[in-house]
Amino acid sequence: MANKRVGQTIKLISAEELLGVSNEESAMDIEIAKIHPFKNHPFKVTDDEKMQDLVESIRANGILSPVIIRPIGNDVYEMISGHRRMHAAMLLGLEVVPAFIREMTDDEAVVKMVDANIQREELLPSEKAFAYKMKMEAMKRQAGRPTKDEARENSAQIGRNLETADLLGKEIGESRMQIRRYIRLTELIPELLDFVDKKRVQFTVAVEISYIDKEIQGWLYEYIKNNGPVKLNQIQALRAQLQQGGITEGKMIALLNDTQPGKAPTGKLTFTEKKLREYFPAEYSTSDMREIIEDLLEDWKQRQEAEDGI
């Protein structure tokens, strides 16, 4: 058997081949109004330069590759492959699109939808994250739910999950761990996930953030928006602090500032109440002492500024 030549081109599988469309099969014109987008479709359809190119191509040549849909009842269909083509057709004011109709179960539809779109170039991290999650969950359901005996043993379910991740990874050319890292991104709040897509948050940093409570993720979003990107060591320090107990937004900001790469940690100056009471009458409360200390410091600051001629 002849060996593959170095640099030999690998043929990509088309959406039609993935979905079993034969060359002899003819498409039907289906009204766009009867086609619903795929529920929770993870791939974004945007009016960018590539969409404009697609619009011009359809304007000149029509839709050369029919969309693929499945019937969902009452003369209504769900899009499996072709969301961008249908959007371009709508921009042109077309009322029908050529389509191949395929009968599929819900899980088959998820798998086929992801397979038909995952080969696109320049997929965003958020698109991969939700696509991998949707397909992995569908594959688990197709493989069958665990038996009662398996459900009692957590290790059996973990093994099943790892096996599915391995299979999915082999299909799309990613490692099992990379698949699971992408799926972790679905635990981010939408604002932070958008920062990942825009490369304002690094992938590895985003995975680390995904383990943090959503409220604190909101604080992180505001911090990054106002101060710029955070590094992995900063988020690791934050997670370590959270394992010791709760944290306020102010303490989080101080921690992130103190753990910036190349910056020496800020020293802390503290006085115990016992030490302070050496200088105050016994009847003074904590708030009384704080008020006097603040007044003294303000007076000292004003005298220093006067001496310096400020």
Side-chain angles (χ1 to χ4, degrees), residues 205-223:
V205 174
V207 172
E208 195 77 11
I209 293 174
S210 73
Y211 293 95
I212 294 175
D213 178 81
K214 297 291 193 297
E215 181 182 11
I216 300 175
Q217 286 190 30
W219 300 346
L220 277 168
Y221 164 72
E222 293 295 334
Y223 181 89

Side-chain angles (χ1 to χ4, degrees), residues 50-304:
K50 289 185 178 180
M51 177 57 68
Q52 189 57 43
D53 290 342
L54 180 57
V55 167
E56 294 306 320
S57 174
I58 293 175
R59 190 197 307 275
N61 308 299
I63 299 177
L64 300 179
S65 180
V67 304
I68 299 172
I69 58 179
R70 69 162 180 155
I72 54 176
N74 298 323
D75 199 26
V76 176
Y77 304 88
E78 183 177 51
M79 181 67 74
I80 302 298
S81 173
H83 287 80
R84 297 182 72 256
R85 279 165 281 168
M86 186 170 74
H87 183 71
M90 293 170 66
L91 292 176
L92 286 168
L94 302 182
E95 296 183 356
V96 299
V97 291
F100 295 119
I101 302 174
R102 285 282 174 272
E103 293 281 354
M104 301 180 197
T105 65
D106 290 347
D107 288 333
E108 287 172 343
V110 168
V111 171
K112 297 298 186 182
M113 179 276 297
V114 172
D115 287 346
N117 288 276
I118 205 68
Q119 298 184 73
R120 280 170 36 198
E121 296 180 1
E122 301 176 2
L123 286 175
L124 296 170
S126 64
E127 294 177 310
K128 288 186 177 183
F130 284 101
Y132 292 172
K133 182 178 182 179
M134 289 176 71
K135 182 172 179 179
M136 187 166 169
E137 289 176 349
M139 290 171 68
K140 289 179 188 176
R141 289 190 294 267
Q142 287 180 319
R145 297 184 181 276
T147 64
K148 291 183 178 179
D149 290 338
E150 288 176 326
R152 293 192 193 102
E153 298 182 16
N154 188 47
S155 60
Q157 184 59 34
I158 292 173
R160 185 183 293 269
N161 292 344
L162 294 178
E163 181 181 347
T164 306
D166 273 330
L167 182 59
L168 176 58
K170 289 177 182 177
E171 288 184 7
I172 60 181
E174 299 269 21
S175 70
R176 178 182 71 193
M177 288 308 300
Q178 191 71 345
I179 292 289
R180 302 189 75 82
R181 289 189 189 101
Y182 270 111
I183 292 176
R184 282 301 315 174
L185 297 186
T186 63
E187 299 298 326
L188 293 174
I189 61 174
E191 296 85 354
L192 283 176
L193 187 54
D194 186 54
F195 273 0
V196 179
D197 284 343
K198 294 177 179 177
K199 299 182 180 180
R200 291 189 63 181
V201 174
Q202 292 180 348
F203 179 79
T204 52
V205 174
V207 172
E208 195 77 11
I209 293 174
S210 73
Y211 293 95
I212 294 175
D213 178 81
K214 297 291 193 297
E215 181 182 11
I216 300 175
Q217 286 190 30
W219 300 346
L220 277 168
Y221 164 72
E222 293 295 334
Y223 181 89
I224 294 168
K225 183 174 69 172
N226 296 324
N227 300 280
V230 292
K231 299 297 184 181
L232 184 60
N233 72 295
Q234 292 174 283
I235 302 304
Q236 289 172 336
L238 175 58
R239 288 191 65 194
Q241 176 63 43
L242 290 171
Q243 289 177 356
Q244 298 176 18
I247 193 171
T248 65
E249 185 174 7
K251 288 183 178 179
M252 182 204 73
I253 292 172
L255 185 150
L256 293 175
N257 288 340
D258 287 346
T259 54
Q260 288 179 4
K263 179 177 180 179
T266 304
K268 292 184 178 180
L269 182 62
T270 59
F271 291 93
T272 63
E273 184 176 346
K274 180 179 178 181
K275 179 65 177 176
L276 290 174
R277 289 212 172 271
E278 296 178 8
Y279 304 96
F280 292 91
E283 66 272 15
Y284 276 44
S285 66
T286 302
S287 59
D288 291 335
M289 292 189 291
R290 181 184 297 109
E291 184 177 348
I292 291 173
I293 290 171
E294 289 176 350
D295 288 343
L296 289 171
L297 288 172
E298 181 62 29
D299 181 63
W300 178 82
K301 178 184 177 183
Q302 291 178 3
R303 285 191 285 108
Q304 288 296 115

